[in-house]
Amino acid sequence: MRTIPYPQQEHTIYINPAPLLVPKASKQSDFLQFNLSMDKEFKDSRSILSKPVPWCVFNPHQILDSGTWYWRFRSVSKSGEEMPWSPTYSFTVTEDTPQFATPPFSTFFKNIPEEYPRIYCFLKDSLEEARKNVRSHPEFEAMIDEGRNALGMNYTKPVGGINLVHT
């Protein structure tokens, strides 16, 4: 279980943008609202203020400029009552931090194909041909064997001193 907010100055972030993570115990009401800025006072016009969300994570969905970033969060009730802001945390984005900005869920959802099967949307034009030739793929038999082996395993017995079944 997370016990402290992430990221903080002592953390080296592993990706830009870094997700803002809050321990569940810090959520005092129905929602959390996040504030992210390069301005310690959060007065910069480029500061990001999230809408209240029911989860304990915020992703800004944009590459953050290099430098020091400040962030905070607060609980918000269903009725809109805003609780005090948390302490302000900071972290540093460097030029060499790997970048990977995901789209917001609304963009992702809007781009889900309406036709089925959705999982094969990238194969749409060649799906029938792929189905005819799948067995001739050089890795096909190895993948089937791995699947059969996994289905045949007894997960109730310890493997290498590790019990795979939660008791």
Side-chain angles (χ1 to χ4, degrees), residues 99-115:
Q99 297 180 349
F100 185 72
T102 58
F105 181 76
S106 58
T107 301
F108 174 77
F109 188 73
K110 180 179 71 175
N111 287 305
I112 294 175
E114 291 183 20
E115 58 194 56

Side-chain angles (χ1 to χ4, degrees), residues 1 27 38 47 50 56 69 71-73 83 95 123 130-131 141 144 155:
M1 285 279 269
K27 184 178 174 186
M38 290 191 86
S47 294
S50 78
C56 296
W69 284 85
W71 72 282
R72 60 189 180 175
F73 63 92
M83 305 196 178
E95 292 289 330
L123 294 173
R131 283 185 174 144
E141 289 301 327
I144 296 301
Y155 292 98

Side-chain angles (χ1 to χ4, degrees), residues 44-63:
D44 184 324
S45 63
R46 297 178 305 149
S47 294
I48 299 168
L49 179 65
S50 78
K51 64 180 184 176
V53 294
W55 41 84
C56 296
V57 62
F58 174 71
N59 182 338
H61 298 292
Q62 66 186 47
I63 299 299

Side-chain angles (χ1 to χ4, degrees), residues 111-131:
N111 287 305
I112 294 175
E114 291 183 20
E115 58 194 56
Y116 291 91
R118 290 180 178 155
I119 196 163
Y120 295 113
C121 62
F122 64 95
L123 294 173
K124 182 177 173 186
D125 297 331
S126 58
L127 182 58
E128 288 308 315
E129 189 66 25
R131 283 185 174 144

Side-chain angles (χ1 to χ4, degrees), residues 58-164:
F58 174 71
N59 182 338
H61 298 292
Q62 66 186 47
I63 299 299
L64 302 177
D65 292 339
S66 294
T68 301
W69 284 85
Y70 302 92
W71 72 282
R72 60 189 180 175
F73 63 92
R74 66 178 168 196
S75 295
V76 179
S77 71
K78 285 181 182 175
S79 66
E81 178 190 357
E82 298 170 343
M83 305 196 178
W85 285 107
S86 69
T88 297
Y89 303 97
S90 66
F91 63 94
T92 302
V93 175
T94 61
E95 292 289 330
D96 60 340
T97 304
Q99 297 180 349
F100 185 72
T102 58
F105 181 76
S106 58
T107 301
F108 174 77
F109 188 73
K110 180 179 71 175
N111 287 305
I112 294 175
E114 291 183 20
E115 58 194 56
Y116 291 91
R118 290 180 178 155
I119 196 163
Y120 295 113
C121 62
F122 64 95
L123 294 173
K124 182 177 173 186
D125 297 331
S126 58
L127 182 58
E128 288 308 315
E129 189 66 25
R131 283 185 174 144
K132 288 181 207 171
N133 298 318
V134 68
R135 292 181 180 277
S136 65
H137 191 283
E139 295 178 6
F140 178 80
E141 289 301 327
M143 289 184 352
I144 296 301
D145 287 343
E146 284 183 31
R148 286 187 179 126
N149 288 338
L151 287 171
M153 280 187 77
N154 181 353
Y155 292 98
T156 61
K157 292 184 179 177
V159 176
I162 300 170
N163 188 348
L164 299 177

